[in-house]
């Protein structure tokens, strides 16, 4: 179904009226690109019995897990190179619309979120950096609790069998770490000079750590460990990029929009009382509240242009994770413009939680000060279905893995009142989450 027709149906349902077929539909484009749209694509969804979804994870597959539900996929029915530039989300969304329109879909479970054709995406942080892709996998397994379904793209029914997990795969992988902390501290000092000169209100500086293991990293085991340790996060994989992000950039269900910006961090305490003292101090910190307010505004302002009934929590809450706690604000709205979740992700990214304020000035400062390419760290990762619904997170707590080598990043927001040594300590807290998982 064309997402604009789906949008019309959602609006009609909300108003209690009947949608007129084609009422919001634009003239369809019939052009086919042989590479983008392979001939004769079909999608069939069926129920799965007695399956352990986490055993289905492939080394270069696609994963999205939160709580007791998720998606695991592999293979490649079609791929879109999203290119570079400010229109890379919009351009890919248009190509993906055409692709979905040419997939014959048989899905008896279409009322179940996450069934049917699903495309996974991974975007670089900087719009001028190549490497962003959208992939329609050949096999997509969706589960909620103990119920599961599989969608296969193509003519042959796949055999769904989990991979064995042997003892060698679970042995510790001793790692060596290389990071230029002095370079990062110098960048933080220069960022503070820009802030004192009132050229910036906030800039987020990423710190890169190069990791080498004694043997190749086991991507499926890393993903399973992240999902088990961080059930409230979005554990994701897009081929060699793996991580567990606590930050929902955008979720779209029909016309309902959600986002949960995070900014402002503190360590965890040694027990409940210490945790509460640290959380109370975080909620009272002018520096952290400023950092968080700028992140929330960078989400609410563009949503106000696209939605009605945009609401944000009047006061942030504290999100507690292993080793670190963050200020979090829940933002909701009702979309009045027919956009897909992928297009919405492009409108919101990059937020002040990972870039800064003003956005363009902060982006240039990052290019000038970091002295490295973030790649897909703090970019966007997630999924979108053939109606445009989907979920997209900011790619945090993640690693790019190549055999026994990995690149790991963590960032910290620099604002007026920041102390560079304290911000460096914050990056150490964030790095621990992924470093412990890959080792």
């Amino acid at each position: 179904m064309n997402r604009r027709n789906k949008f019309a149906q959602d609006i009609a349902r909300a108003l209690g009226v009947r949608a007129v077929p084609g009422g919001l539909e634009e003239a369809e484009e019939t052009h086919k690109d042989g590479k983008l749209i392979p001939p004769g694509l079909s999608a069939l969804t069926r129920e799965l019995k007695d399956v352990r979804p986490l055993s289905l994870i492939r080394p270069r597959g696609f994963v999205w897990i939160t709580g007791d539900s998720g998606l695991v996929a592999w293979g490649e029915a079609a791929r879109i190179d999203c290119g570079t530039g400010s229109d890379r989300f919009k351009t890919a969304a248009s190509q993906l619309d055409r692709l979905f329109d040419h997939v014959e879909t048989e899905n008896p479970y279409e009322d179940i979120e996450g069934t049917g054709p699903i495309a996974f995406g991974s975007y670089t942080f900087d719009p001028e950096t190549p490497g962003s892709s959208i992939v329609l996998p050949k096999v997509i397994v969706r589960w909620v609790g103990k119920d599961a379904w599989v969608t296969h793209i193509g003519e042959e029914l796949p055999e769904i069998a989990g991979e064995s997990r042997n003892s060698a795969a679970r042995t510790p992988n001793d790692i060596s770490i290389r990071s230029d902390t002095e370079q990062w501290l110098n960048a933080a000092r220069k960022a503070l000079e820009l802030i004192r000169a009132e050229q910036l209100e906030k800039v987020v500086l990423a710190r890169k750590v190069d990791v080498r293991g004694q043997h190749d990293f086991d991507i499926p085991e890393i993903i399973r460990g992240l999902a088990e340790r961080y059930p409230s996060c979005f554990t994701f994989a897009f081929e060699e990029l793996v991580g567990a992000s606590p930050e929902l950039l955008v979720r779209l269900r029909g016309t309902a929009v959600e986002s949960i910006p995070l900014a402002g961090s503190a360590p965890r305490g040694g027990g409940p009382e210490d945790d509460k003292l640290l959380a109370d101090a975080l909620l009272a910190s002018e520096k952290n509240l400023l950092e968080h307010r700028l992140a929330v505004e960078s989400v609410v302002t563009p949503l106000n242009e696209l939605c009605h009934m945009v609401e944000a929590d009047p006061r942030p809450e504290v999100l507690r994770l292993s080793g670190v706690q963050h200020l979090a604000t829940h933002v909701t709205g009702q979309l009045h413009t027919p956009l897909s979740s992928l297009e919405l992700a492009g409108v919101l990214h990059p937020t002040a939680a990972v870039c800064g304020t003003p956005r363009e000035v902060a982006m240039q400062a990052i290019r000038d000060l970091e002295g490295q390419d973030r790649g897909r760290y703090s970019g966007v990762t997630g999924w979108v279905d053939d109606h445009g619904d989907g979920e997209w997170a900011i790619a945090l707590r993640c690693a790019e893995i190549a055999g026994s080598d990995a690149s790991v990043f963590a960032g910290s927001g620099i604002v007026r009142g920041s102390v560079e040594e304290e911000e460096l300590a914050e990056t150490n807290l964030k790095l621990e989450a992924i470093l412990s998982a890959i080792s």
Side-chain angles (χ1 to χ4, degrees):
M1 178 188 296
N2 183 284
R3 64 180 168 83
R4 295 185 183 274
N5 281 343
K6 175 67 163 53
F7 181 82
Q9 289 189 0
D10 290 333
I11 291 291
R13 190 178 299 112
L15 296 174
V17 299
R18 183 169 179 268
V20 178
L24 291 180
E25 184 176 8
E26 294 179 345
E28 291 194 10
E29 185 174 343
T30 58
H31 170 74
K32 291 186 179 182
D33 180 332
K35 184 177 180 181
L36 173 64
I37 307 173
L41 278 183
S42 62
L44 173 63
T45 302
R46 57 189 173 92
E47 191 173 9
L48 276 179
K49 297 290 188 181
D50 302 321
V51 65
R52 294 181 299 117
L54 294 186
S55 71
L56 302 176
I57 298 171
R58 269 43 174 185
R60 279 182 54 83
F62 311 93
V63 174
W64 185 266
I65 303 169
T66 180
D68 65 347
S69 65
L71 293 157
V72 171
W74 59 90
E76 182 181 313
R79 178 183 291 264
I80 297 171
D81 180 350
C82 304
T84 59
S86 59
D87 289 336
R88 58 190 179 142
F89 285 87
K90 184 177 180 180
T91 300
S94 177
Q95 292 178 328
L96 188 59
D97 271 353
R98 297 201 303 271
L99 173 60
F100 279 142
D101 283 345
H102 288 89
V103 177
E104 292 187 17
T105 300
E106 182 181 334
N107 181 12
Y109 310 98
E110 63 179 351
D111 291 337
I112 298 171
E113 174 190 290
T115 62
I118 299 287
F120 291 77
S122 177
Y123 275 79
T124 58
F125 165 75
D126 191 325
E128 300 308 319
T129 299
S132 304
S133 298
I134 303 287
V135 172
L136 177 65
K138 287 185 176 180
V139 183
I140 305 145
V141 175
R142 167 66 169 167
W143 78 93
V144 179
K146 296 182 179 180
D147 299 320
W149 305 265
V150 59
T151 299
H152 68 90
I153 313 292
E155 296 181 359
E156 296 184 7
L157 287 170
E159 289 292 331
I160 305 298
E163 296 181 338
S164 62
R165 298 170 65 178
N166 56 55
S167 57
R170 295 193 297 274
T171 57
N173 192 351
D174 291 333
I175 61 174
S176 60
I177 297 173
R178 186 176 72 255
S179 176
D180 189 345
T181 56
E182 191 56 40
Q183 187 277 333
W184 191 89
L185 287 169
N186 285 333
R189 294 183 189 110
K190 291 177 181 177
L192 283 167
E193 291 175 5
L194 293 173
I195 291 168
R196 285 191 285 267
E198 298 186 346
Q199 296 181 38
L200 282 167
E201 282 191 88
K202 174 183 178 180
V203 62
V204 181
L205 294 180
R207 176 181 162 210
K208 182 182 180 183
V209 173
D210 294 315
V211 181
R212 172 157 292 182
Q214 286 190 329
H215 52 79
D216 286 356
F217 293 109
D218 187 325
I219 290 180
E221 281 297 322
I222 291 170
I223 296 167
R224 284 187 277 263
L226 288 169
E228 291 165 3
R229 187 173 181 181
Y230 302 104
S232 63
C233 291
F234 301 96
T235 297
F236 62 87
F238 189 100
E239 298 172 333
E240 70 280 2
L241 176 70
V242 300
S245 174
E247 187 155 2
L248 177 69
L249 178 63
V250 67
R251 174 186 290 125
L252 180 64
R253 300 287 180 269
T255 60
V257 179
E258 291 181 81
S259 181
I260 307 177
L262 308 180
S265 305
R268 293 294 304 272
E273 290 187 7
D274 287 343
D275 256 355
K276 186 176 186 306
L277 287 173
L278 289 165
D280 289 345
L282 182 61
L283 287 166
S285 165
E286 289 186 13
K287 176 260 180 187
N288 282 289
L289 289 172
L290 169 61
E291 184 181 346
H292 186 73
R293 176 178 60 79
L294 294 173
V296 173
E297 288 176 354
S298 71
V299 170
V300 170
T301 299
L303 286 184
N304 275 326
E305 299 294 319
L306 303 169
C307 300
H308 56 81
M309 298 171 56
V310 176
E311 297 181 354
D313 295 338
R315 180 175 170 80
E317 61 181 19
V318 175
L319 173 66
R320 290 188 172 93
L321 302 172
S322 177
V324 66
Q325 44 194 337
H326 302 286
L327 294 178
T329 292
H330 192 208
V331 180
T332 60
Q334 291 290 326
L335 199 64
H336 61 56
T337 302
L339 297 177
S340 71
S341 62
L342 175 57
E343 289 171 297
L344 273 174
V347 171
L348 296 178
H349 176 75
T351 71
V354 292
C355 183
T357 305
R359 178 192 282 185
E360 294 304 320
V361 179
M363 178 67 77
Q364 189 56 51
I366 287 168
R367 292 168 180 154
D368 295 339
L369 297 177
E370 284 188 353
Q372 62 197 6
D373 182 2
R374 290 188 185 186
R376 294 183 290 179
Y377 166 74
S378 68
V380 178
T381 186
W383 62 272
V384 58
D385 68 14
D386 56 347
H387 300 316
D389 292 350
E391 295 177 318
W392 298 88
I394 298 176
L396 304 173
R397 315 294 196 276
C398 60
E400 291 266 10
I401 295 177
S404 61
D405 293 321
S407 296
V408 180
F409 291 83
S412 186
I414 311 297
V415 296
R416 188 177 298 275
S418 291
V419 177
E420 53 266 33
E421 289 82 5
E422 294 177 0
E423 302 299 337
L424 179 67
E426 181 178 316
T427 66
N428 287 331
L429 285 174
K430 294 173 178 177
L431 285 168
E432 174 59 26
I434 188 66
L435 289 174
S436 61
I438 67 175
S439 64

